[in-house]
């Protein structure tokens, strides 16, 4: 399994593994401030200052995309990482903040090109992932208080 972590926003986060990191937009700033090496950087960088961007360009190879586009920075990052062969992606900063971004990040789990990748959207109280058809068993040491199953397809009655 080829694993990577992704930080979407400059927020506090707790590292749960030793996989490499990719940053998206202001998430790059969060990683650099935490002295975490940035393997990949994605986005239009419209949520950072000009000084931040100058700093990023000194230490990272950036391919800055236009702000007006038909996909989100999160989608760009996840699709690119999938294309690079990553099969497990833990995403921090996908939940909370702007509701439109949060809903889009959740919907990305069902994206045709991402649905077979083990993507987890993580924060201090949630672990959201897409479960495809099959049988699943929670481990004995599962430490979450609640488990919910919410379909991402239309429900027909």
């Amino acid at each position: 399994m080829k694993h990577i972590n992704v930080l979407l926003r400059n927020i506090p986060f707790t590292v749960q593994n030793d996989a490499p990191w990719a940053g998206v937009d202001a998430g790059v700033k969060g990683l650099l401030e935490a002295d975490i090496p940035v393997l990949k950087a994605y986005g239009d960088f419209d949520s950072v200052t000009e000084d931040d961007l100058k700093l990023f360009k000194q230490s990272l190879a950036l391919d800055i995309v236009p702000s007006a586009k038909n996909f989100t920075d999160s989608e760009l990052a996840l699709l690119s990482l999938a294309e690079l062969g990553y099969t497990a992606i833990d995403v921090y900063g996908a939940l909370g903040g702007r509701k439109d971004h949060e809903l889009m990040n959740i919907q990305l789990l069902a994206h045709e090109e991402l649905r077979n990748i083990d993507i987890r959207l993580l924060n201090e109280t949630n672990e959201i992932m897409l479960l495809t058809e099959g049988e699943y068993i929670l481990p004995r040491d599962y430490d979450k208080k609640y488990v919910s199953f919410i379909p991402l397809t239309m429900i027909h009655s």
Side-chain angles (χ1 to χ4, degrees):
M1 178 183 330
K2 193 173 175 185
H3 193 173
I4 193 165
N5 297 306
V6 177
L7 184 62
L8 299 183
R9 297 183 292 132
N10 187 5
I11 58 163
F13 60 97
T14 303
V15 179
Q16 297 184 10
N17 56 61
D18 61 356
W21 282 87
V24 177
D25 212 295
V28 174
K29 182 176 182 177
L31 293 172
L32 293 176
E33 287 176 349
D35 291 323
I36 296 175
V38 179
L39 182 66
K40 294 282 184 186
Y42 298 96
D44 54 24
F45 298 98
D46 63 352
S47 60
V48 298
T49 67
E50 284 296 319
D51 288 340
D52 290 334
L53 198 51
K54 287 178 188 173
L55 178 68
F56 298 170
K57 288 178 179 178
Q58 290 174 4
S59 58
L60 302 169
L62 298 180
D63 183 15
I64 302 171
V65 297
S67 293
K69 55 191 176 298
N70 292 329
F71 49 84
T72 66
D73 292 341
S74 303
E75 184 177 5
L76 168 73
L78 293 176
L79 288 170
S80 174
L81 293 168
E83 193 173 290
L84 291 171
Y86 288 96
T87 56
I89 305 172
D90 286 348
V91 183
Y92 299 84
L95 307 171
R98 287 178 48 181
K99 282 293 175 213
D100 58 334
H101 287 182
E102 181 175 23
L103 290 169
M104 185 61 197
N105 290 331
I106 292 169
Q107 287 184 331
L108 279 176
L109 297 173
H111 189 289
E112 185 70 29
E113 295 175 48
L114 299 173
R115 64 182 302 116
N116 293 317
I117 296 175
D118 179 18
I119 300 174
R120 299 186 310 158
L121 308 180
L122 303 166
N123 70 8
E124 61 281 346
T125 56
N126 298 288
E127 177 180 341
I128 299 175
M129 67 189 90
L130 178 71
L131 298 177
T132 55
E133 187 175 329
E135 185 175 304
Y136 298 88
I137 299 171
L138 293 175
R140 288 191 185 274
D141 62 347
Y142 191 75
D143 64 350
K144 304 293 184 207
K145 184 175 181 179
Y146 301 105
V147 175
S148 298
F149 297 93
I150 302 168
L152 287 180
T153 58
M154 292 299 294
I155 301 172
H156 301 284
S157 52

